[in-house]
């Protein structure tokens, strides 16, 4: 039997309140008496550092966790949300930071299969018609017949939101919705979502780190710190400084060294000439015509993920073969061997360092000694490796870079993301550094860790290292770089000195308009 | 029926006939493996399931006199083996490839053990449909003497191709195979879906085995399979997890398998045995062609352990 598609949802926005939400995991209080109020049709921002309890709060609202105490009110009525199913029945939905779409399915297939009741045999004629009528009422236009894998990040994000609306949800939690979007896409998506809240179709609770998004789009905000509510109010009545103070409290934040000017006669350290290499699909290639990074400057490479940055980095790291072209470091050809890296002082901080720069099950001390374990104090190879020297070396670095670890002998995989990043940073920034290649160094780290890592990179620059910085976070690039290049479709398509950099123009080039 | 001399035309004709005859087990095993792999698991144990299916089908056919009951029994045992694989793989930190290899050896060994008494007796064959009646040339008639299972296999390939797009079950298998997280977010249990997919895959592989013992070569012995179950796994990758591609690739493999006998039949006496190795060489060549250190496989289900 063929069941007709459900009628398109016509309900109005849903308002949600929590009262005295407390969540304890054993002796640890993740959420302590938090009461927030998100009226129907409003756009509410939830601010806080990593581990502040934002996701715990949201997971309690979505029925993933059962709060130790506290109540949830939906449209003024107290409700019991025991499972995600209950939440969706009440019209509550969540858009995750990482996409939950199925890459090989088309947009239409993704929408239909996510429905509660799907007929055994899908009548695509009728479904497509119903989808077209539904899409007419949506502010987004999307190609629903293309596999999700071929969509741009912005389109995927829109599809995620559309999926929630298609499923009849009128209260959406957006978890850092713009972390993978270009500035232009972010503006568009948030703008359209805001328009939907204005027309009363939708209520939004957005988790975000980006103050400029909060001030531009949100009506109200709530700040959490260490599980406690440390502030709330109208966005229009608070400035960024006040919100930041509520987020981080009175802990000191590392500040960037002031930027010493780039010497005009600084020597180029890294030179890349007409590089060509296949990308991971093997269907396209990356072409870098020319790139030079001088001593004492940070060159930032912007781009949406999947435009060849990863492959470029892999070529520089020796993880990917190149078809042709040259990589020259300090006038010598560089093939990323251990000896070359050592003599030319090339250091490397790849993204996801636990996967790309660590042996996860080896100890913290061993991992920190990867660059130096087989050398003696004079830099000569040793026949016997001294575990005592490795330990004392690591102990010094752990102290210096404030790596939080239970012991030097624990496996590095047991450390939190920020501490793995710090450990790798310690290894790579110790000793002489002439060339530093960094990719997304602050992804997923909290406020103070981010500030500290950026400060360290700036310090390396000021002491004469050439830094190549790839990042998906445009704010980070704007903060650190001396020059910004944009990578799109495997090529460097745009270059600007930081003084004249405009987010607008960079965003357009990132999106492929050049 | 007297044989007509058609010279070298005999070779392509024999290859065509051979392709149809030899490909049937490939079709069933590869379609089964497609379902399993689309759900995100690899079952390398299909070779063992195939051999056990061949034995079961033969034994049941000998005892009941009905080849179709044999096929039915084979598919039931295949499903049981598949479910066993799926059930073990449900446990954390179990590697599906290692379990598959264990199952392959287990299935073959068990089949040899239970199959001893059935090497001598002869079982009724599965029926074939003579589609070559329009021609007077016996070679054509022989080539177009098509077994019912081949036709069922072809229909099944088309059905699966359609079902992966147009049925709830098909979409669910694809969702689970591509992203466990997305599946869980939809309230699906990936383990259950994979369990069932591996069960269906096993049942189909065992039908492939039944074809071996009940039609071509048509007897039960320990050497009944020459690695079809393993080659079918390579074939699925070659076919990019597409059921129609599996059908075409199975024909290609079947044709390659028929090359040696065909050359022998037209009187090539030297070196024809090299051509017996054609399917294996083809497997190797395909594996080399479709692999590359620098790129990932296009079209592979995202949850497959070889692509992760």
């Amino acid at each position: 039997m063929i069941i007709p598609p459900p009628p398109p949802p016509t309900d109005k926005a849903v308002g949600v309140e929590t009262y005295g939400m407390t969540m304890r995991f054993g002796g640890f209080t993740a959420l302590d008496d938090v009461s927030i109020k998100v009226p129907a049709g409003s756009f509410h921002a939830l601010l806080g550092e990593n581990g502040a309890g934002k996701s715990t709060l949201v997971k309690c609202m979505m029925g993933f966790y059962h709060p130790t105490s506290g109540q949830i009110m939906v449209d003024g009525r107290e409700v019991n949300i025991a499972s995600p199913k209950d939440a969706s029945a009440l019209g509550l939905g969540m858009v995750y930071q990482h996409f939950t779409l199925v890459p090989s399915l088309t947009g239409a297939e993704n929408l239909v299969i996510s429905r509660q009741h799907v007929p055994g045999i899908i009548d695509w004629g009728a479904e497509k018609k119903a989808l077209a009528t539904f899409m007419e009422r949506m502010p987004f236009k999307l190609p629903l017949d293309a596999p999700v894998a071929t969509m741009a990040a912005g389109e995927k994000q829109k599809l995620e939101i559309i999926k929630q609306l298609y499923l009849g949800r009128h209260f959406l939690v957006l978890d850092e919705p713009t972390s993978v979007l270009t500035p232009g896409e972010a503006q568009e998506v948030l703008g359209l979502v805001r328009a939907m809240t204005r027309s009363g179709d939708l209520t939004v609770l957005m988790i975000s780190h980006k103050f400029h998004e909060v001030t531009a789009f949100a009506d109200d905000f709530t700040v959490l710190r260490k599980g406690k509510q440390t502030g709330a109010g109208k966005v229009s009545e608070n400035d960024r400084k006040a919100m930041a103070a509520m987020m981080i409290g009175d802990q000191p934040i590392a500040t960037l060294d002031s930027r010493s000017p780039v010497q005009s006669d600084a020597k180029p350290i890294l030179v890349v000439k007409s590089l060509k290499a296949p990308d991971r699909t093997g269907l396209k290639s990356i072409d870098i015509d020319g790139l030079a990074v001088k001593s004492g400057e940070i060159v930032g490479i912007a781009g949406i993920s999947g435009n060849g940055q990863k492959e470029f980095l892999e070529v520089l790291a020796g993880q990917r073969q190149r078809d042709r072209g040259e990589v020259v470091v300090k006038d010598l050809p560089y093939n990323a061997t251990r000896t070359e890296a050592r003599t030319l002082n090339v250091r490397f901080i790849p993204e996801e360092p636990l996967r790309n720069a660590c042996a996860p099950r080896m100890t913290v001390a061993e991992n920190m000694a990867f660059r130096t374990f087989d050398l003696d104090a004079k830099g000569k190879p040793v026949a016997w490796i001294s575990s005592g020297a490795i330990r004392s070396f690591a102990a010094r670095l752990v102290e210096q870079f404030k790596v939080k670890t239970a012991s030097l002998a624990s496996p590095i995989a047991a450390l939190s993301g920020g501490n793995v990043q710090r450990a790798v940073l310690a290894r790579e920034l110790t000793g002489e550094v002439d060339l530093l290649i960094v990719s997304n160094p602050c992804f997923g780290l909290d406020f103070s860790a981010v500030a500290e890592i950026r400060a360290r990179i700036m310090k390396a620059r000021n002491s004469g290292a050439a830094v190549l910085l790839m990042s998906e976070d445009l704010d980070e690039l704007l903060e650190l770089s001396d020059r910004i290049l944009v990578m799109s479709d495997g090529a460097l398509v745009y270059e600007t000195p930081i003084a004249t950099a405009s987010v607008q123009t960079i965003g357009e080039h990132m999106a492929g308009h050049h | 029926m007297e044989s007509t001399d058609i010279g070298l035309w005999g070779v392509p004709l024999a290859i065509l006939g051979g392709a149809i005859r030899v490909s049937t087990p490939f079709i069933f095993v590869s379609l089964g493996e497609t379902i399993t792999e689309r759900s995100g698991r690899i079952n390398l144990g299909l070779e063992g399931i195939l051999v056990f299916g061949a034995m079961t089908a033969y034994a049941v056919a000998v005892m009941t006199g009905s080849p179709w009951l044999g096929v039915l029994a084979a598919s039931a045992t295949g499903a049981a083996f598949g479910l066993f694989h799926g059930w073990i793989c449900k446990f954390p930190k179990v590697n599906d490839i290692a379990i598959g290899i264990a199952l392959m050896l287990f299935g073959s060994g068990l089949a040899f053990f239970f199959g001893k008494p059935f090497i001598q007796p002869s079982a009724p064959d599965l029926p074939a449909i003579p589609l070559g009646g329009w021609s007077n040339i016996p070679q054509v008639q022989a080539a177009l003497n098509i077994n019912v299972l081949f036709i069922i296999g072809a229909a099944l390939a088309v059905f699966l191709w359609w079902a992966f797009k147009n049925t709830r079950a098909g979409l669910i298998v694809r969702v689970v195979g591509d992203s466990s997280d997305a599946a869980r977010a939809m309230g699906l249990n990936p383990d259950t879906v994979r369990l069932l997919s591996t069960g269906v895959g096993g049942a189909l592989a065992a039908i492939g085995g039944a074809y071996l013992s009940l039609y071509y070569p048509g007897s039960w012995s320990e050497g009944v399979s020459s690695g079809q179950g393993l080659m079918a796994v390579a074939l699925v990758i070659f076919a990019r997890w597409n059921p129609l591609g599996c059908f075409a690739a199975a024909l290609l493999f079947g044709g390659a398998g028929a090359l040696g006998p065909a050359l022998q039949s037209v009187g090539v006496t030297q070196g024809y045995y090299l051509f017996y190795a054609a399917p294996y060489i083809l497997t190797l060549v395909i594996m080399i062609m479709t692999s590359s250190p620098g790129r990932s496989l296009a079209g592979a289900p995202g949850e497959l352990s070889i692509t992760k």
Side-chain angles (χ1 to χ4, degrees):
Chain A
M1 186 180 104
I2 295 170
I3 304 161
T10 50
D11 311 335
K12 282 292 172 189
V14 176
V16 176
E17 273 173 72
T18 71
Y19 181 72
M21 290 290 259
T22 301
M23 179 83 206
R24 287 196 192 88
F25 297 101
F28 173 67
T29 306
L31 209 58
D32 192 2
D33 191 26
V34 174
S35 307
I36 71 168
K37 187 171 182 197
V38 187
S42 70
F43 195 126
H44 196 102
L46 185 57
L47 297 165
E49 291 203 73
N50 279 3
K54 289 169 305 192
S55 44
T56 311
L57 174 64
V58 164
K59 281 181 176 162
C60 287
M61 295 166 89
M62 289 296 141
F64 287 102
Y65 292 158
H66 299 197
T68 316
S69 65
Q71 283 113 43
I72 301 177
M73 259 97 72
V74 172
D75 276 342
R77 280 184 305 120
E78 191 180 331
V79 291
N80 178 30
I81 299 178
S83 73
K85 231 174 211 165
D86 293 353
S88 76
L90 290 163
L92 274 52
M94 177 152 176
V95 175
Y96 298 87
Q97 199 174 352
H98 301 288
F99 298 126
T100 58
L101 298 166
V102 185
S104 68
L105 267 60
T106 66
E109 285 173 335
N110 262 295
L111 289 180
V112 169
I113 195 67
S114 61
R115 228 164 48 202
Q116 200 58 245
H117 302 285
V118 186
I121 291 171
I122 298 160
D123 177 2
W124 277 115
E127 294 288 354
K128 291 249 165 83
K129 221 178 272 169
L131 277 174
T133 347
F134 168 72
M135 287 302 286
E136 262 169 34
R137 302 188 305 110
M138 288 296 119
F140 309 130
K141 296 289 160 259
L142 277 178
L144 285 183
D145 289 326
V148 168
T150 64
M151 289 184 185
E155 287 177 319
K156 285 185 200 166
Q157 189 66 277
K158 289 180 204 163
L159 187 57
E160 290 275 7
I161 294 171
I162 283 193
K163 187 171 105 181
Q164 297 297 325
L165 299 172
Y166 177 75
L167 296 175
R169 295 173 189 167
H170 291 270
F171 175 86
L172 285 193
V173 176
L174 307 179
D175 187 0
E176 300 197 23
T178 59
S179 54
V180 292
L181 306 186
T182 64
E185 283 175 329
Q187 291 280 334
E188 189 201 351
V189 170
L190 290 182
L192 292 169
V193 167
R194 183 184 155 92
M196 293 189 79
T197 63
R198 283 290 143 84
S199 61
D201 292 325
L202 192 62
T203 312
V204 170
L205 177 62
M206 175 174 78
I207 299 178
S208 180
H209 281 150
K210 299 181 182 166
F211 287 121
H212 61 87
E213 282 173 2
V214 175
T215 46
F217 296 104
D219 304 316
D220 317 291
F221 71 95
T222 300
V223 183
L224 298 182
R225 184 171 81 232
K226 291 180 181 159
K228 290 196 179 67
Q229 194 168 346
T230 52
K234 290 215 167 300
V235 171
S236 51
E237 293 161 8
N238 291 271
D239 63 358
R240 290 181 194 192
K241 225 174 187 171
M243 289 191 253
M246 294 174 197
M247 261 171 84
I248 54 177
D250 45 11
Q251 61 176 306
I253 287 291
T255 46
L256 288 186
D257 278 15
S258 58
R259 187 182 291 270
S260 54
V262 184
Q263 307 283 312
S264 53
D265 59 342
K267 276 192 309 181
I269 301 287
L270 170 73
V271 177
V272 179
K273 289 180 209 157
S274 53
L275 180 82
K276 191 180 169 75
D279 82 341
R280 61 195 55 239
T281 61
L283 304 173
K284 292 189 287 186
S285 64
I286 60 160
D287 294 273
I288 307 289
D289 289 333
L291 170 71
V293 185
K294 283 188 279 192
S295 160
E297 76 166 343
I298 298 179
V299 173
I301 295 189
I304 309 162
S305 67
N307 273 280
Q309 304 98 310
K310 212 171 183 174
E311 285 87 350
F312 181 34
L313 210 78
E314 284 171 354
V315 172
L316 292 178
Q319 287 173 302
R320 174 171 294 271
Q321 292 214 310
R322 50 182 191 245
D323 292 341
R324 60 173 169 78
E326 256 184 290
V327 178
V328 178
V329 176
K330 293 201 277 187
D331 301 329
L332 290 168
Y334 181 72
N335 292 304
T337 64
R338 194 168 151 81
T339 331
E340 284 173 347
R342 192 172 274 166
T343 51
L344 297 171
N345 297 328
V346 177
R347 298 303 173 89
F348 198 70
I349 305 168
E351 59 183 15
E352 288 183 78
L354 189 60
R355 238 182 73 189
N356 290 314
C358 293
R361 287 185 198 172
M362 288 175 80
T363 65
V364 173
E366 284 164 341
N367 270 285
M368 292 181 88
F370 277 173
R371 291 265 178 209
T372 47
F373 71 94
D374 52 351
L375 298 178
D376 64 11
K378 293 189 201 99
K380 293 271 173 292
V382 291
W384 293 97
I385 287 159
S386 149
S387 57
I390 290 179
R391 260 200 310 277
S392 61
F393 173 76
R396 210 174 67 232
L397 261 53
V398 161
E399 171 82 38
Q400 228 178 340
F401 281 78
K402 297 181 215 134
V403 183
K404 274 182 215 139
T405 170
S407 106
L408 289 176
S410 39
I412 196 157
L415 267 55
S416 75
N419 283 309
V420 172
Q421 188 71 276
R422 278 198 193 93
V424 171
L425 207 67
R427 179 179 83 205
E428 300 296 313
L429 290 182
T430 302
E432 249 178 81
V433 184
D434 289 333
L435 173 60
L436 181 64
I437 299 168
V438 196
S439 172
N440 285 321
C442 301
F443 189 78
L445 302 188
D446 65 30
F447 221 75
S448 50
V450 166
E452 193 193 324
I453 284 169
R454 289 182 186 165
R456 299 242 183 221
I457 293 172
M458 187 56 98
K459 217 168 173 178
R461 167 202 180 273
N462 283 347
S463 52
V467 182
L468 182 65
L469 172 67
M470 298 196 193
S471 180
E472 282 162 34
D473 182 350
L474 207 46
D475 296 337
E476 174 169 86
L477 291 171
L478 290 167
E479 186 180 344
L480 292 174
S481 314
D482 297 292
R483 280 189 289 147
I484 292 183
L485 287 87
V486 176
M487 194 159 182
S488 171
D489 232 359
L492 296 172
V493 294
Y494 176 70
E495 177 177 347
T496 170
I498 195 70
T500 58
S502 113
V503 176
Q504 184 74 29
T505 327
I506 291 174
E508 279 169 16
H509 286 283
M510 281 165 75
H513 307 297
H514 25 256
Chain B
M1 205 186 294
E2 75 188 59
S3 97
T4 319
D5 187 22
I6 55 169
L8 281 179
W9 278 107
V11 177
L13 206 57
I15 291 177
L16 173 70
I20 292 172
R21 218 166 32 241
V22 179
S23 65
T24 308
F26 283 127
I27 295 173
F28 278 95
V29 180
S30 64
L31 288 180
E33 185 69 1
T34 301
I35 298 174
T36 308
E37 291 193 14
R38 275 286 184 107
S39 80
R41 273 239 178 92
I42 289 184
N43 183 3
L44 279 187
L46 291 188
E47 173 72 13
I49 296 176
L50 175 109
V51 173
F52 197 84
M55 189 281 296
T56 311
Y58 200 78
V60 170
V62 166
M63 289 187 294
T64 63
S66 159
W68 289 110
L69 276 180
V71 173
L72 212 62
S75 67
T77 60
F81 270 106
L83 290 172
F84 182 59
H85 182 279
W87 176 69
I88 293 180
C89 288
K90 178 183 83 168
F91 297 106
K93 295 198 179 173
V94 170
N95 181 292
D96 51 354
I97 291 181
I99 297 301
I101 292 172
L103 197 63
M104 172 162 63
L105 300 172
F106 178 65
S108 307
L110 213 59
F112 298 160
F113 176 73
F114 286 118
K116 277 273 186 284
F118 297 100
I119 294 178
Q120 281 303 324
S122 91
D125 272 0
L126 286 164
I129 305 172
L131 292 177
W134 48 271
S135 169
N136 298 324
I137 306 168
Q139 283 93 333
V140 174
Q141 290 176 354
L144 292 180
N145 202 15
I146 292 174
N147 188 273
V148 180
L149 277 185
F150 176 82
I151 295 164
I152 295 177
L156 190 64
V158 177
F159 170 74
L160 284 179
W161 171 78
W162 173 84
F164 274 132
K165 286 189 180 142
N166 291 294
T167 65
R168 179 177 59 206
L171 280 180
I172 285 177
V173 167
R174 284 169 62 200
V175 167
V176 169
D178 221 29
S179 167
S180 293
D181 288 340
R184 278 195 207 95
M186 283 173 205
L188 299 169
N189 182 348
D191 285 328
T192 311
V193 175
R194 289 188 187 136
L195 177 77
L196 296 176
S197 302
T198 320
V200 174
L204 290 180
I207 294 178
Y211 178 91
L212 284 178
S213 63
L214 292 180
Y215 187 72
Y216 183 82
S219 64
W220 160 247
S221 73
E222 298 190 351
V224 65
S225 157
S226 40
Q228 279 99 330
L230 275 177
M231 280 192 283
V233 176
L235 198 147
V236 172
I237 299 173
F238 175 56
R240 291 282 181 270
W241 296 271
N242 178 348
L244 291 183
C246 283
F247 180 69
L251 279 180
L252 185 71
F253 270 65
L259 198 59
L263 286 176
Q264 199 183 3
S265 71
V266 295
V268 178
T269 51
Q270 288 263 309
Y272 61 84
Y273 46 82
L274 268 182
F275 289 95
Y276 277 101
Y280 309 101
I281 295 171
L282 196 66
T283 310
L284 262 180
V285 169
I286 284 171
M287 290 321 254
I288 293 168
M289 266 174 16
T290 52
S291 69
S292 152
R295 70 187 149 83
S296 55
L297 221 48
E303 288 291 326
L304 226 48
S305 53
I306 49 163
T307 53
K308 266 209 259 199

